[in-house]
Amino acid sequence: MRNFTTVADIGDLKKAVEEAMAVKADRFAYQHLGRNKTLMMIFFNSSLRTRLSTQKAAMNLGMNTIVLDVNQGAWKLETERGVIMDGDKPEHLLEAIPVMGCYCDVIGVRSFARFESKADDYNELILNQFIKYSGRPVFSMEAATRHPLQSFADLITIEEYKTKERPKVVLTWAPHPKALPQAVPNSFAEWMRAADVEFVIANPEGYDLAPEFVGDTKVYHDQDEALRGADFVYAKNWSAYADPNYGKVLSTDRSWTVTAEKMALTDNAYFMHCLPVRRNMIVSDDVIESPRSLVIPEAANREISAEVVLKRILESL
Ligand code: AN0
Ligand code: CP
C-alpha cells in the first residue's frame, strides 16, 4: 500500500481487521520495518488523538517521527496556484511540499475542509497536492472528506465488541454549536458499507451527507425510529452538505442529543464517538460515562489502526 486515504486503499476488510488483532497482540513485533525510517506528520488543524496515537504507532514500528504544526512556527502557506503573493503568506505549498518530502520517508497530513469552496474540499485539494508533489507515500490523518484512520479504529472496535454476526450500527447526527466537517461521518459510512453490518443513518432534514457516501444506506429523519434495535450508536455532528447551505449549521436541536432515554430505544447498544466530544450537546454525561460507552477503547484502537497502515506502507517501500 503506497497511499492511504480511503477504505479502498486497505483492501479486504476482514484481512485488515485480522492484521489489526495480530498487531494489537504484539505491537512491537515489526520494529525492523521502521529502522532508520522517518515519519513526518503535518498538521493544518488541531489534534490530540491523531497526533499521539500515530506517533506511538510509528514508535512501535521503530520509526523516527517529526511533527509540524503548520500554524505554529512555520511560514504561512499559500495554497492557490497563480496568485500574486504580495499578501501575508511568504511561502507556497508547491515548494513546501517537496521540501518536506526531502526529510522523511512517509508523510501523514491533517487538513480539514475549509468550507470556502465545496469543490476544493471534495476534490481533496491539499491532500492530493501532497500525493502529487511530495515524492513520498502519504496517508490521511483526517482530510477534507474522510478520516480513514478513525473509521478503521471504529471498525476494529465494533469487531471486538459485537455479540451478533451482523450487528445494527446507527450513525446519528447530534447537535453542536460550531460548523464541523463531514469527514468523520462520510468515512464511517464508507467503511460500514464495506463491512458486514446492518448500517443506517439518522439526521435531521437538510443534513443528508453526499450521495457518494450514503449510497443505498437507509436514511431516517426520525432519530427514535433509527435507534430501535441498534447494537451500536455512533454519534457525530456535521454541518450541512447540500447547497446552498454547504458548511453551515442549520440546527442545534437538542432533542437529537444522545441521552439515556434515547439509548433505551436500542438493543442495549454500545455508544461510540470519535472524540473530541461536547458533553450534553452530542451526548449526556450518563451515557458517555456508562459501561456501554466505547469512546476510550475506540481511541485506544487509533494506535492499532495507525500501526497497521504504517506497517503496510513500510512493507511497500
Ligand atoms: C473534528 C471534526 O469534526 O472533523 C475532528 C474530529 C476527529 N472535530 C472538531 O473540530 C471538534
Ligand atoms: N478522533 C480524532 O481524530 O481526534 P483528534 O482530532 O484529537 O486527533
Side-chain angles (χ1 to χ4, degrees), residues 7 24 29 39 81 88 103 117 136 143 154 206 246 257 302:
V7 69
K24 193 163 181 171
L39 167 66
R81 196 171 170 281
D88 64 337
Y103 310 138
S117 153
R136 301 292 174 209
D154 297 333
Y246 178 65
T257 301
R302 290 294 306 276

Side-chain angles (χ1 to χ4, degrees), residues 43 45-53 110 112 141-142 147 149-150 184 234 273-276 299 302:
F43 287 93
N45 312 94
S46 307
S47 168
L48 186 150
R49 279 143 292 273
T50 304
R51 169 191 288 251
L52 299 177
S53 62
R110 166 162 285 201
F112 290 177
M141 301 195 300
E142 186 172 342
H147 192 0
L149 284 174
Q150 181 65 50
V184 170
Y234 192 98
H273 190 280
C274 63
L275 306 181
R302 290 294 306 276

Side-chain angles (χ1 to χ4, degrees), residues 300-314:
N301 279 331
R302 290 294 306 276
E303 176 184 342
I304 308 305
S305 64
E307 186 166 344
V308 172
V309 166
L310 282 170
K311 172 177 172 287
R312 287 196 180 185
I313 291 173
L314 289 170

